[in-house]
Amino acid sequence: GEWEGEEDDPSFVSTSTVTSTIDTSSTATPQLPAGKLKPKQSLGQNFLKDPNTVAKMIRAFHQDATRDGKPLNTIIELGPGAGALTDRLMENYGSDVLQCIEIDPRAVEILNDRYPDLLVYHEDVLQVNYPELAKQQGHPLVVIGNLPYYITSQILFALADASHSGAVQSATVTMQWEVAQ
């Protein structure tokens, strides 16, 4: 079921590259503040609810982002929304490493209240200059996000373009099945 804390994919094999210091167990994601943050169809929002999905994303992200053996200096989360991934990323990496880009002012407010030390850019992920952001950070970016349906392709193209210029090292994203096909 959606809120059980056990692995739901019988074919999933844990890799040894994920260090024991990274918590990838599945736990219930936070409850949305009552009346404060319902998904907006106009933004294509779909908030993660399944803790197994969050745990799988964290595992895949960590494996991909650390495959070269270098430490993670900056993680960029695209569209954190209600913070299901953000909570786990903060637990594992902290506000010194994690930064978020969010267009929805309601989500920005919730994240700022929950994590006062977390840098949350109130911007459109399609308008971000990823090469400039990487230059400011002094190294290529590692990106994670649950992408909104209607702009998934544009985000992937923006990240691919940034990757070709060396600004993005890796990107671990989820998208709706219809887009992936």
Side-chain angles (χ1 to χ4, degrees), residues 4-167:
E4 292 176 10
E6 297 176 18
E7 178 58 50
D8 67 346
D9 182 357
S11 65
F12 178 77
V13 177
S14 180
T15 63
S16 60
T17 58
V18 177
T19 65
S20 61
T21 60
I22 300 302
D23 181 4
T24 62
S25 61
S26 59
T27 60
T29 54
Q31 295 294 317
L32 295 177
K36 264 196 150 181
L37 191 62
K38 292 182 180 178
K40 279 188 174 181
Q41 187 176 10
S42 65
L43 295 176
Q45 292 175 326
N46 56 81
F47 298 139
L48 290 173
K49 296 186 292 184
D50 182 0
N52 288 315
T53 301
V54 172
K56 288 177 190 177
M57 283 189 70
I58 296 293
R59 280 191 289 256
F61 167 77
H62 187 76
Q63 181 179 1
D64 190 43
T66 61
R67 71 180 180 274
D68 63 1
K70 295 179 183 174
L72 294 176
N73 296 310
T74 304
I75 298 169
I76 303 294
E77 182 183 2
L78 303 180
L85 278 173
T86 311
D87 291 341
R88 299 311 301 267
L89 291 166
M90 285 293 289
E91 289 172 14
N92 288 310
Y93 304 102
S95 62
D96 291 342
V97 175
L98 180 62
Q99 298 176 19
C100 299
I101 301 170
E102 174 60 60
I103 194 170
D104 189 337
R106 302 167 308 154
V108 171
E109 180 183 352
I110 289 168
L111 292 169
N112 284 332
D113 288 347
R114 189 179 303 153
Y115 299 112
D117 295 333
L118 176 63
L119 178 56
V120 181
Y121 298 99
H122 183 197
E123 294 185 47
D124 182 340
V125 297
L126 295 175
Q127 300 303 315
V128 172
N129 183 334
Y130 293 100
E132 182 59 33
L133 184 57
K135 184 178 176 183
Q136 290 171 2
Q137 300 299 320
H139 48 78
L141 307 170
V142 292
V143 177
I144 186 170
N146 178 40
L147 304 183
Y149 174 79
Y150 78 104
I151 59 169
T152 297
S153 296
Q154 296 96 314
I155 293 171
L156 293 176
F157 284 122
L159 293 175
D161 288 346
S163 175
H164 291 305
S165 70

